[in-house]
Amino acid sequence: MTLLKKITGFGTAALLAFGLAACNSDDAKNDDEQTSGTKTTAGDSVDHTITGIDPGSGHMELTARALKEYDLTDWNLTSGSGAAMTAALKRAYDKEEPIIITAWSPHWMFLKFDLKYLEDPKLVYGDSEEIHSITRMGMKDDFPEAYTIFQRFNWDIEDMSEIMVAIEDGVKPEEAAQTWIDDNQDKVAEWTDGVANVDGDTLKLVYAPWDSEIASHNMMKLVLEDKGYKVELSMVEPGPMFSAIADGSADATFAAWLPITHKTYLDKFDGKFEDVGINMVNVKQGLAVPTYMEDINSIDDLKK
């Protein structure tokens, strides 16, 4: 214990006794808190804040709903971008600090960090989902070769993850996608078998600003270009993504998460696009924390 100035009337022994008494008092207070069970709550540990992503995403809409369903009225949901969220996760993870994030898989963060989803007993986020390929109305007639490829397109979480991790490690998206294509010629051949080449027809693909969709659309761009298409990629928020497909200003996307994540847009633009098929199954979303946060395992735990 350090005193910054001399206190008149106290001798050395008196000062030492005073300091020891103060320290013992603090220790007793801490012991009393531990004995009484007082401890930092989940909310206090993260300042009652969930670190989110882009505000237009279906995931953020569901998270806002989860705060209501679980009566987490004193919690805040911050918005930003997927990159900002993962940057915040890395900072916290490196210091083993608490953090709660909006999460989805496939995503490279589940390969880079030890994370766990919080249980969702009310199923606000639903069960596992699917990623669908959807096109504008009439695309089948305009680009039958591409349409056939879209119908056949199906891959695994592990496939997408290879591209995502490479991109996160600094490889350019097209280079990462090309490496995956080179290593998986058999799968690509299943999508393109018997499909005739075209001569420079332009296809416009749109996708949400998520690492998973960056991977899938850069990969499919190369597959289509190999068949003779000129492919234009546009990264937009989910709302404009569905709107572009519905009004015909874009041809297709492989980024429709159904039936929960994009339900709002599914209902809004019902009948204005064609669902070509499922390109990935068993995808998931929810809230996640690092596994070192051992006392938090369910969204219900956030109320404690």
Side-chain angles (χ1 to χ4, degrees):
M1 176 177 179
T2 303
L3 294 178
L4 299 180
K5 61 181 180 180
K6 182 177 180 181
I7 303 176
T8 304
F10 277 73
T12 303
L15 290 174
L16 178 59
F18 178 82
L20 290 173
C23 290
N24 288 336
S25 176
D26 288 342
D27 289 343
K29 181 179 179 181
N30 290 336
D31 289 342
D32 288 343
E33 289 179 349
Q34 291 177 2
T35 302
S36 64
T38 302
K39 63 179 180 179
T40 301
T41 66
D44 291 337
S45 71
V46 295
D47 196 25
H48 290 87
T49 297
I50 296 170
T51 303
I53 53 172
D54 46 292
S57 72
H59 196 345
M60 291 288 279
E61 180 182 340
L62 288 174
T63 301
R65 188 185 307 168
L67 295 183
K68 293 181 180 179
E69 291 288 333
Y70 286 93
D71 196 27
L72 301 174
T73 56
D74 54 346
W75 282 76
N76 300 306
L77 173 61
T78 64
S79 62
S81 66
M85 179 272 289
T86 53
L89 170 61
K90 186 179 188 308
R91 287 193 299 270
Y93 194 91
D94 288 346
K95 297 178 182 179
E96 287 199 14
E97 294 176 344
I99 188 171
I100 301 173
I101 60 170
T102 54
W104 65 97
S105 49
H107 194 289
W108 59 263
M109 61 185 168
F110 282 92
L111 299 175
K112 291 282 188 177
F113 309 113
D114 289 328
L115 305 174
K116 61 183 178 182
Y117 280 106
L118 297 185
E119 295 173 7
D120 176 20
K122 295 181 183 294
L123 291 179
V124 174
Y125 294 99
D127 205 343
S128 63
E129 289 199 274
E130 304 162 341
I131 307 180
H132 288 232
S133 303
I134 66 173
T135 70
R136 63 172 173 82
M137 303 300 290
M139 193 204 131
K140 179 179 181 180
D141 295 328
D142 296 336
F143 303 112
E145 295 84 6
Y147 187 89
T148 297
I149 295 174
F150 298 167
Q151 281 184 308
R152 296 173 178 175
F153 172 42
N154 182 280
W155 61 343
D156 300 325
I157 289 176
E158 292 75 13
D159 295 318
M160 181 186 278
S161 296
E162 288 182 26
I163 301 176
M164 284 193 292
V165 170
I167 294 172
E168 173 59 19
D169 288 341
V171 180
K172 293 181 179 179
E174 281 204 14
E175 293 178 7
Q178 186 62 62
T179 297
W180 184 87
I181 289 172
D182 292 342
D183 293 340
N184 292 273
Q185 286 292 313
D186 54 338
K187 289 188 177 182
V188 176
E190 291 177 3
W191 310 334
T192 60
D193 182 45
V195 175
N197 289 351
V198 300
D199 187 17
D201 293 345
T202 299
L203 279 174
K204 297 179 180 180
L205 305 181
V206 289
Y207 60 100
W210 302 345
D211 298 83
S212 54
E213 312 318 323
I214 292 172
S216 61
H217 287 72
N218 275 275
M219 183 277 297
M220 187 55 72
K221 176 178 183 289
L222 295 176
V223 171
L224 293 167
E225 287 179 342
D226 189 57
K227 300 304 294 182
Y229 286 98
K230 178 181 178 182
V231 180
E232 297 178 1
L233 292 182
S234 296
M235 184 167 63
V236 297
E237 297 297 330
M241 179 183 80
F242 274 84
S243 179
I245 299 296
D247 67 22
S249 58
D251 295 304
T253 184
F254 312 109
W257 285 51
L258 305 175
I260 302 297
T261 301
H262 290 146
K263 184 180 186 303
T264 296
Y265 306 114
L266 184 68
D267 294 341
K268 181 178 181 179
F269 298 107
D270 184 38
K272 296 182 179 180
F273 63 84
E274 183 176 353
D275 187 343
V276 177
I278 301 167
N279 63 63
M280 185 173 290
V281 297
N282 296 325
V283 299
K284 183 177 175 63
Q285 62 175 324
L287 299 181
V289 299
T291 54
Y292 55 72
M293 296 176 67
E294 297 178 356
D295 294 334
I296 303 176
N297 297 292
S298 169
I299 300 177
D300 273 327
D301 292 337
L302 304 185
K303 292 185 290 187
K304 299 177 181 179

